[in-house]
Amino acid sequence: MSDDQNTNQDEECTTPPELPKTELRNLVFEQSEHEVRAIIDYIEWQCNKRREAELDEVGQTELEEELVQHAEKIKTERVIGTDYSVWDVHTNLSRWWVITNPTNLYSQTLMPSLDYTLSFHIGLMARVQARHEIAGGNELHEFLSTTHRKMYQAHLALDEADEIEDFQGIGLQCREVMTSFTREVVAAGLFDELKDAPKMGDFVAWSDHVIGVRAAGGAAEYVRGYLKAICQKGWQLANWLTHAKNATRADAELCISATEHLLQELITLALKAMARSPEKCGRCGSFKINVTWRPDEGEYVATCDVCGAEALQQPSQDSVATEES
């Protein structure tokens, strides 16, 4: 082939134009629309907080509104039992990493390496969670806001505890966490059809009902037995600590640890019950089922992470958690 022919071919080759970012979402498969919407809402809220504040205060602003043009999940990595999903998000002004559980955003200009950013996020979230908040997303905070607050207060009290009376108080607070869980689960309408309801303060009886809803049948005998045992023993431990004349810091730490453990197990069961979540997906058979809360739509949703199949359950109209006066 002559040099003239090569030159002509080179001149005829053209690079196709860049696809509009707003059209990229139509070319991405196997992404949940609700997941994408949650990420878009989050980042637009975070990026425009200052702009919205100026509009509220003075009625005008020179800041340009930042809007998401494309959001794409890049990967999900499990680290010590926790799944972290990483999103690549393009806006009209910049580009961000958004990493979930809990969700945070990072500028790709300042942190261009995804692997470094993920490692930074995991370390940061470990420090945040060391502040003793119950793990969970919006579905937990919407469903069990009072229980969440009481558990956090128990941890704060332990940080300040020095004397026997302080450690005894931890037992009382753990007991209040458990009864708060009972009240909020009942208020959410999980047991509206229960005829012979236990007394509201009978945490052990109510926990048996929660366990029975999601761990029924002979195949779950050992699971059910274990969960009932930790609830009963956790309640007894909190009662004992409340009156223990020789209570120590180690006793208080054990009580909080036991309370958190049983509470996390019950929360998982209760959320699945609220969404009528199956153990596995009826479409693809996957066990990767997550429950989320959609406040705008007022519903709990069980979603398959693999195929995106969803199951919806409307909560009770009276699902407003109230505290006993």
Side-chain angles (χ1 to χ4, degrees), residues 58-91:
V58 299
Q60 60 183 2
T61 180
E62 296 182 355
L63 298 175
E64 184 178 353
E65 185 177 13
E66 189 160 1
L67 300 173
V68 172
Q69 296 179 329
H70 177 62
E72 181 176 347
K73 184 189 288 187
I74 302 300
K75 62 183 294 188
T76 297
E77 185 169 326
R78 180 169 297 177
V79 181
I80 316 178
T82 299
D83 288 334
Y84 297 92
S85 294
V86 182
W87 293 73
D88 179 19
V89 181
H90 302 246
T91 73

Short mmCIF file of all heavy atoms in Angstrom, two decimals, residues 58-91:
data_model
loop_
_atom_site.label_atom_id
_atom_site.label_comp_id
_atom_site.label_asym_id
_atom_site.label_seq_id
_atom_site.Cartn_x
_atom_site.Cartn_y
_atom_site.Cartn_z
N VAL A 58 -31.36 35.54 51.92
CA VAL A 58 -31.40 36.83 51.24
C VAL A 58 -32.27 36.85 49.99
O VAL A 58 -32.44 37.88 49.36
CB VAL A 58 -29.96 37.29 50.88
CG1 VAL A 58 -29.12 37.43 52.14
CG2 VAL A 58 -29.30 36.29 49.93
N GLY A 59 -32.78 35.70 49.61
CA GLY A 59 -33.66 35.64 48.46
C GLY A 59 -32.98 35.59 47.11
O GLY A 59 -33.66 35.56 46.07
N GLN A 60 -31.65 35.58 47.09
CA GLN A 60 -30.92 35.49 45.83
C GLN A 60 -29.54 34.88 46.07
O GLN A 60 -29.04 34.86 47.19
CB GLN A 60 -30.77 36.86 45.19
CG GLN A 60 -30.02 37.87 46.07
CD GLN A 60 -29.96 39.24 45.42
OE1 GLN A 60 -30.50 39.45 44.35
NE2 GLN A 60 -29.28 40.16 46.09
N THR A 61 -28.93 34.41 44.99
CA THR A 61 -27.60 33.81 45.10
C THR A 61 -26.93 33.83 43.73
O THR A 61 -27.60 33.81 42.69
CB THR A 61 -27.67 32.36 45.60
OG1 THR A 61 -26.35 31.81 45.69
CG2 THR A 61 -28.50 31.49 44.68
N GLU A 62 -25.60 33.90 43.75
CA GLU A 62 -24.83 33.84 42.52
C GLU A 62 -24.34 32.43 42.24
O GLU A 62 -23.72 32.17 41.21
CB GLU A 62 -23.64 34.80 42.59
CG GLU A 62 -24.04 36.27 42.69
CD GLU A 62 -22.85 37.19 42.71
OE1 GLU A 62 -21.70 36.65 42.74
OE2 GLU A 62 -23.03 38.41 42.70
N LEU A 63 -24.59 31.52 43.16
CA LEU A 63 -24.13 30.15 42.99
C LEU A 63 -25.01 29.41 41.98
O LEU A 63 -26.23 29.48 42.04
CB LEU A 63 -24.17 29.41 44.34
CG LEU A 63 -23.26 29.97 45.44
CD1 LEU A 63 -23.48 29.22 46.75
CD2 LEU A 63 -21.79 29.85 45.02
N GLU A 64 -24.36 28.72 41.08
CA GLU A 64 -25.09 27.95 40.07
C GLU A 64 -25.59 26.64 40.67
O GLU A 64 -24.90 26.00 41.45
CB GLU A 64 -24.18 27.65 38.88
CG GLU A 64 -24.88 26.94 37.73
CD GLU A 64 -23.96 26.70 36.54
OE1 GLU A 64 -22.81 27.21 36.56
OE2 GLU A 64 -24.40 26.01 35.61
N GLU A 65 -26.79 26.27 40.31
CA GLU A 65 -27.35 25.02 40.81
C GLU A 65 -26.62 23.83 40.18
O GLU A 65 -26.42 23.79 38.97
CB GLU A 65 -28.84 24.93 40.49
CG GLU A 65 -29.52 23.71 41.09
CD GLU A 65 -31.00 23.67 40.82
OE1 GLU A 65 -31.47 24.46 39.97
OE2 GLU A 65 -31.70 22.86 41.45
N GLU A 66 -26.22 22.88 41.04
CA GLU A 66 -25.52 21.69 40.56
C GLU A 66 -26.53 20.56 40.38
O GLU A 66 -27.20 20.16 41.33
CB GLU A 66 -24.41 21.29 41.53
CG GLU A 66 -23.50 20.20 40.98
CD GLU A 66 -22.15 20.14 41.69
OE1 GLU A 66 -21.91 20.94 42.61
OE2 GLU A 66 -21.33 19.28 41.30
N LEU A 67 -26.60 20.02 39.18
CA LEU A 67 -27.58 18.99 38.84
C LEU A 67 -26.87 17.76 38.31
O LEU A 67 -25.92 17.86 37.53
CB LEU A 67 -28.58 19.51 37.81
CG LEU A 67 -29.40 20.74 38.22
CD1 LEU A 67 -30.21 21.24 37.04
CD2 LEU A 67 -30.31 20.40 39.40
N VAL A 68 -27.36 16.60 38.70
CA VAL A 68 -26.76 15.35 38.27
C VAL A 68 -27.16 15.06 36.83
O VAL A 68 -28.33 15.13 36.46
CB VAL A 68 -27.20 14.19 39.18
CG1 VAL A 68 -26.72 12.84 38.61
CG2 VAL A 68 -26.66 14.38 40.59
N GLN A 69 -26.15 14.73 36.03
CA GLN A 69 -26.38 14.36 34.64
C GLN A 69 -26.28 12.85 34.42
O GLN A 69 -26.89 12.32 33.50
CB GLN A 69 -25.38 15.09 33.73
CG GLN A 69 -25.54 16.60 33.74
CD GLN A 69 -24.51 17.29 32.86
OE1 GLN A 69 -23.40 16.81 32.69
NE2 GLN A 69 -24.89 18.43 32.31
N HIS A 70 -25.48 12.20 35.24
CA HIS A 70 -25.32 10.75 35.11
C HIS A 70 -24.83 10.17 36.42
O HIS A 70 -23.94 10.73 37.06
CB HIS A 70 -24.32 10.43 33.99
CG HIS A 70 -24.06 8.95 33.84
ND1 HIS A 70 -25.05 8.06 33.50
CD2 HIS A 70 -22.93 8.22 34.00
CE1 HIS A 70 -24.54 6.83 33.44
NE2 HIS A 70 -23.25 6.90 33.73
N ALA A 71 -25.42 9.04 36.84
CA ALA A 71 -24.99 8.32 38.04
C ALA A 71 -24.94 6.84 37.71
O ALA A 71 -25.92 6.27 37.23
CB ALA A 71 -25.96 8.58 39.20
N GLU A 72 -23.79 6.23 37.98
CA GLU A 72 -23.59 4.83 37.61
C GLU A 72 -22.87 4.08 38.73
O GLU A 72 -21.84 4.54 39.22
CB GLU A 72 -22.77 4.74 36.32
CG GLU A 72 -22.52 3.32 35.84
CD GLU A 72 -21.78 3.29 34.51
OE1 GLU A 72 -21.68 4.36 33.86
OE2 GLU A 72 -21.30 2.20 34.14
N LYS A 73 -23.46 2.96 39.16
CA LYS A 73 -22.81 2.15 40.18
C LYS A 73 -21.61 1.43 39.56
O LYS A 73 -21.76 0.69 38.58
CB LYS A 73 -23.78 1.14 40.79
CG LYS A 73 -23.16 0.34 41.94
CD LYS A 73 -24.06 -0.81 42.38
CE LYS A 73 -25.29 -0.33 43.11
NZ LYS A 73 -26.06 -1.47 43.67
N ILE A 74 -20.44 1.61 40.17
CA ILE A 74 -19.21 1.02 39.64
C ILE A 74 -18.94 -0.36 40.23
O ILE A 74 -18.62 -1.31 39.52
CB ILE A 74 -18.01 1.95 39.92
CG1 ILE A 74 -18.25 3.32 39.31
CG2 ILE A 74 -16.73 1.33 39.36
CD1 ILE A 74 -18.45 3.32 37.82
N LYS A 75 -19.12 -0.49 41.53
CA LYS A 75 -18.82 -1.76 42.19
C LYS A 75 -19.45 -1.78 43.56
O LYS A 75 -19.84 -0.75 44.10
CB LYS A 75 -17.31 -1.95 42.33
CG LYS A 75 -16.64 -0.88 43.21
CD LYS A 75 -15.12 -1.03 43.28
CE LYS A 75 -14.70 -2.29 43.98
NZ LYS A 75 -13.22 -2.32 44.21
N THR A 76 -19.56 -2.98 44.11
CA THR A 76 -19.94 -3.17 45.50
C THR A 76 -18.92 -4.10 46.13
O THR A 76 -18.67 -5.19 45.61
CB THR A 76 -21.35 -3.77 45.63
OG1 THR A 76 -22.31 -2.86 45.08
CG2 THR A 76 -21.70 -4.02 47.10
N GLU A 77 -18.32 -3.65 47.21
CA GLU A 77 -17.28 -4.44 47.87
C GLU A 77 -17.69 -4.70 49.31
O GLU A 77 -18.11 -3.78 50.02
CB GLU A 77 -15.94 -3.70 47.83
CG GLU A 77 -14.78 -4.50 48.40
CD GLU A 77 -13.44 -3.84 48.09
OE1 GLU A 77 -13.30 -3.23 47.01
OE2 GLU A 77 -12.53 -3.96 48.94
N ARG A 78 -17.56 -5.95 49.74
CA ARG A 78 -17.91 -6.32 51.11
C ARG A 78 -16.65 -6.34 51.96
O ARG A 78 -15.68 -7.02 51.65
CB ARG A 78 -18.59 -7.68 51.15
CG ARG A 78 -18.99 -8.14 52.55
CD ARG A 78 -19.89 -9.35 52.51
NE ARG A 78 -21.15 -9.04 51.82
CZ ARG A 78 -22.10 -9.94 51.60
NH1 ARG A 78 -21.95 -11.20 51.98
NH2 ARG A 78 -23.22 -9.59 50.99
N VAL A 79 -16.67 -5.58 53.07
CA VAL A 79 -15.53 -5.50 53.97
C VAL A 79 -16.04 -5.77 55.39
O VAL A 79 -16.86 -5.03 55.93
CB VAL A 79 -14.86 -4.11 53.91
CG1 VAL A 79 -13.66 -4.06 54.86
CG2 VAL A 79 -14.42 -3.79 52.49
N ILE A 80 -15.57 -6.84 55.98
CA ILE A 80 -15.95 -7.26 57.34
C ILE A 80 -17.47 -7.29 57.48
O ILE A 80 -18.04 -6.72 58.41
CB ILE A 80 -15.31 -6.37 58.42
CG1 ILE A 80 -13.84 -6.12 58.09
CG2 ILE A 80 -15.41 -7.03 59.79
CD1 ILE A 80 -13.14 -5.21 59.10
N GLY A 81 -18.13 -7.88 56.49
CA GLY A 81 -19.57 -8.08 56.58
C GLY A 81 -20.42 -6.90 56.16
O GLY A 81 -21.65 -6.98 56.17
N THR A 82 -19.81 -5.78 55.77
CA THR A 82 -20.56 -4.60 55.35
C THR A 82 -20.35 -4.35 53.87
O THR A 82 -19.21 -4.34 53.40
CB THR A 82 -20.13 -3.36 56.15
OG1 THR A 82 -20.37 -3.57 57.54
CG2 THR A 82 -20.91 -2.12 55.71
N ASP A 83 -21.44 -4.14 53.13
CA ASP A 83 -21.36 -3.87 51.71
C ASP A 83 -21.24 -2.37 51.47
O ASP A 83 -22.05 -1.57 51.96
CB ASP A 83 -22.60 -4.39 50.98
CG ASP A 83 -22.62 -5.91 50.89
OD1 ASP A 83 -21.53 -6.51 50.93
OD2 ASP A 83 -23.72 -6.49 50.80
N TYR A 84 -20.23 -1.98 50.68
CA TYR A 84 -20.02 -0.59 50.30
C TYR A 84 -20.20 -0.48 48.78
O TYR A 84 -19.44 -1.07 48.02
CB TYR A 84 -18.62 -0.12 50.69
CG TYR A 84 -18.36 -0.12 52.17
CD1 TYR A 84 -17.80 -1.23 52.79
CD2 TYR A 84 -18.69 0.98 52.96
CE1 TYR A 84 -17.56 -1.24 54.16
CE2 TYR A 84 -18.46 0.98 54.33
CZ TYR A 84 -17.90 -0.14 54.92
OH TYR A 84 -17.68 -0.14 56.28
N SER A 85 -21.21 0.27 48.35
CA SER A 85 -21.44 0.49 46.93
C SER A 85 -20.82 1.81 46.50
O SER A 85 -20.98 2.83 47.18
CB SER A 85 -22.94 0.50 46.61
OG SER A 85 -23.50 -0.77 46.84
N VAL A 86 -20.11 1.79 45.37
CA VAL A 86 -19.41 2.98 44.87
C VAL A 86 -20.09 3.45 43.59
O VAL A 86 -20.30 2.67 42.66
CB VAL A 86 -17.92 2.67 44.59
CG1 VAL A 86 -17.21 3.94 44.11
CG2 VAL A 86 -17.24 2.11 45.83
N TRP A 87 -20.42 4.74 43.55
CA TRP A 87 -21.08 5.34 42.40
C TRP A 87 -20.20 6.41 41.78
O TRP A 87 -19.55 7.19 42.50
CB TRP A 87 -22.41 5.97 42.81
CG TRP A 87 -23.44 5.00 43.25
CD1 TRP A 87 -23.47 4.29 44.42
CD2 TRP A 87 -24.61 4.59 42.53
NE1 TRP A 87 -24.58 3.48 44.47
CE2 TRP A 87 -25.29 3.65 43.33
CE3 TRP A 87 -25.13 4.95 41.29
CZ2 TRP A 87 -26.49 3.05 42.91
CZ3 TRP A 87 -26.32 4.36 40.87
CH2 TRP A 87 -26.98 3.42 41.68
N ASP A 88 -20.19 6.44 40.46
CA ASP A 88 -19.52 7.49 39.70
C ASP A 88 -20.60 8.46 39.25
O ASP A 88 -21.49 8.10 38.48
CB ASP A 88 -18.80 6.88 38.50
CG ASP A 88 -18.09 7.91 37.65
OD1 ASP A 88 -17.84 9.03 38.15
OD2 ASP A 88 -17.79 7.61 36.48
N VAL A 89 -20.54 9.71 39.75
CA VAL A 89 -21.62 10.66 39.51
C VAL A 89 -21.07 11.89 38.78
O VAL A 89 -20.11 12.52 39.23
CB VAL A 89 -22.28 11.10 40.84
CG1 VAL A 89 -23.42 12.07 40.56
CG2 VAL A 89 -22.79 9.88 41.60
N HIS A 90 -21.68 12.21 37.64
CA HIS A 90 -21.33 13.39 36.85
C HIS A 90 -22.42 14.44 37.06
O HIS A 90 -23.61 14.14 36.95
CB HIS A 90 -21.26 13.06 35.36
CG HIS A 90 -20.28 11.98 35.02
ND1 HIS A 90 -19.14 12.23 34.28
CD2 HIS A 90 -20.25 10.66 35.30
CE1 HIS A 90 -18.47 11.10 34.11
NE2 HIS A 90 -19.13 10.13 34.73
N THR A 91 -22.03 15.67 37.34
CA THR A 91 -22.97 16.78 37.40
C THR A 91 -22.60 17.79 36.32
O THR A 91 -21.62 17.64 35.60
CB THR A 91 -22.95 17.47 38.78
OG1 THR A 91 -21.74 18.24 38.91
CG2 THR A 91 -23.03 16.45 39.90
#
